[in-house]
Amino acid sequence: MSTYDKYETVIGLETHVQLATNSKAFCGDAIEFGASPNTHISTIALAYPGTLPKANHQHIQFAIRLGLALGSTINLENRFDRKNYFYADLPKGYQITQDRLPICVGGQLPIRVDGKMRHIRIHHIHMEEDAGKSIHDLDPKHSLIDLNRAGTPLLEIVSEPDLRSADEVDAFMTTMRQLVRYLEISDGNMEQASLRCDCNISVRLKGTEKLGQRCEVKNLNSMRFARKAIEFEQKRQIDLIESGGKVLQQTLNFDPNTGRTSPLRSKEDAHDYRYFPEPDLPPIKIKREQVQKIKKQLPPLPWQLLETFTQTYQLSEYDANLLTEEKGIALFAQKLLQASAHHKAIANLLINKIIPYLKQENLDAEDFPIPIGNLLDFIDLIQSEQVSHSIAYQRLFPALLERPTVSAKEVATQMNLLQSKDDDFLLELVERILAQHPDKVKAYQNGKKGLIGFFMGDLMKQSKGKAHPKEAKKLLESKLAE
């Protein structure tokens, strides 16, 4: 056993989700990624004297929606607090957040790693506002500040220290991104910082219960960077302990160019932030009826659909994962699967033809041109062997996209694609092919039975896909045996 195998990595996440609200958390400033710097700011966002914040109704609704999806308890009374610290891109000198009364408490997020399901416990979810953005690479002598993002509404999801590897962190963040998209509360775009995480990482000897000293790696907005940061940090801490050193509680920065972490500052505890109740915002009272209304409006959740697709419709986990990546595709697939007994054929059609078409045309699933009834008829033509699978995919499907309102059978008939079981048609075709290849007929009859594939290929080619394969093969074998 290597030195590293003696240790267990323990990880807790603080995940920040930027919400797709129409305005900022406590004022009416617009939210627009990529806008010219410092154009979406106001006296309220900058906390000018005499200005007052106002809670954002959408912010609260989106928090309830996420909490209900995760099975959290919703606090019906909410209070905001001031978290005091100085950053150059924090214009107020404090952040409006929630400390003692977060909006959601408890819950769990199911993740799947290596085919096994785990439930990662959620400690709480709280509402807060974002800081601005410091830019260090545009000017050789100065850092630049863009305050457009300052005041953007966030939800921070604080997990329990239940994660044990970079793979599990990847699964957690991937599932969280999928969930916020299903709930339509965020685009979950990590590249645009709509979803990012702080990783609290510690190590301990396997079999021990006591947690090790944790270090926090800040603002990881890429799963590739998160994975590298975790792998580097767990090795650093183990090496430090094994050499007789002590892990210090620190906030760390991760440099993607070097793949290393480095200290930013000593890790703050709650008392360092001098929390106190936000004096300019009254308590938020949420009605129980409001929570129930939001609960009824929740869409099917990704893990629920995954279970339905694998258990009810007997799809493979691979197919089910592909079909549940996006909510629109998943709901479209569910309608098709509910209406047909040919579940695997439906999955193949979606994965191989429909999803690529939607991506190519930049369409939502609800805008797919071929009606569901016509798609089911298309599947039935294949399953009943009226049209061969290859001809259906290569010729009939593109034709249906051009004439989506015409029935699949009518289009197939017009294009002369229906397979024939007619004895006279098949007999004439078989006799013609055998007459064209007397040497191969002789070779087959002398024991080269693999030549049946050659005859079938030529037969299907000459029939332009119209010959029914099973009937044609049966007739071929009969004629070759004479």
Side-chain angles (χ1 to χ4, degrees), residues 92-277:
K92 296 174 180 175
Y94 62 86
Q95 178 191 41
I96 301 179
T97 182
Q98 291 185 295
D99 179 28
R100 295 189 179 182
L101 273 179
I103 189 165
C104 307
V105 177
Q108 58 184 16
L109 180 72
I111 64 170
R112 189 177 290 272
V113 179
D114 296 330
K116 296 179 181 178
M117 185 69 79
R118 286 203 61 206
H119 291 82
I120 307 302
R121 294 172 298 155
I122 305 300
H123 184 274
H124 74 269
I125 302 170
H126 64 262
M127 298 181 286
E128 63 184 20
E129 61 179 339
D130 208 349
K133 184 179 181 182
S134 296
I135 304 164
H136 307 292
D137 56 0
L138 292 182
D139 189 292
K141 296 182 179 180
H142 302 92
S143 289
L144 306 181
I145 304 294
D146 180 7
L147 295 176
N148 279 346
R149 199 174 68 187
T152 297
L154 300 178
L155 294 178
E156 181 171 335
I157 303 106
V158 181
S159 84
E160 297 285 3
D162 287 353
L163 298 142
R164 296 292 178 265
S165 68
D167 285 341
E168 290 189 359
V169 171
D170 193 330
F172 183 99
M173 294 300 293
T174 300
T175 306
M176 185 61 71
R177 179 177 58 192
Q178 182 186 43
L179 177 60
V180 298
R181 289 176 173 175
Y182 264 64
L183 298 174
E184 298 181 15
I185 63 173
S186 173
D187 61 20
N189 192 323
M190 295 192 78
E191 292 75 20
Q192 296 179 5
S194 297
L195 182 70
R196 55 191 189 271
C197 69
D198 302 336
C199 289
N200 291 285
I201 305 166
S202 65
V203 298
R204 65 185 178 189
L205 288 169
K206 289 179 179 177
T208 60
E209 294 295 324
K210 185 179 178 181
L211 294 173
Q213 186 61 268
R214 66 190 171 96
C215 292
E216 180 184 31
V217 186
K218 294 288 286 184
N219 288 329
L220 295 165
N221 65 345
S222 154
M223 283 320 306
R224 185 164 59 91
F225 295 162
R227 180 180 291 277
K228 287 184 176 181
I230 292 165
E231 290 170 351
F232 174 82
E233 186 59 20
Q234 62 191 13
K235 183 176 184 298
R236 182 190 75 84
Q237 291 187 23
I238 293 170
D239 288 343
L240 186 59
I241 294 168
E242 286 291 313
S243 64
K246 184 178 180 181
V247 176
L248 301 178
Q249 183 173 320
Q250 293 176 316
T251 297
L252 306 173
N253 177 60
F254 174 71
D255 186 342
N257 295 316
T258 63
R260 301 173 66 88
T261 61
S262 58
L264 282 171
R265 59 187 179 274
S266 296
K267 176 74 177 104
E268 297 93 342
D269 289 313
H271 61 81
D272 296 311
Y273 292 119
R274 294 175 290 114
Y275 284 102
F276 65 84

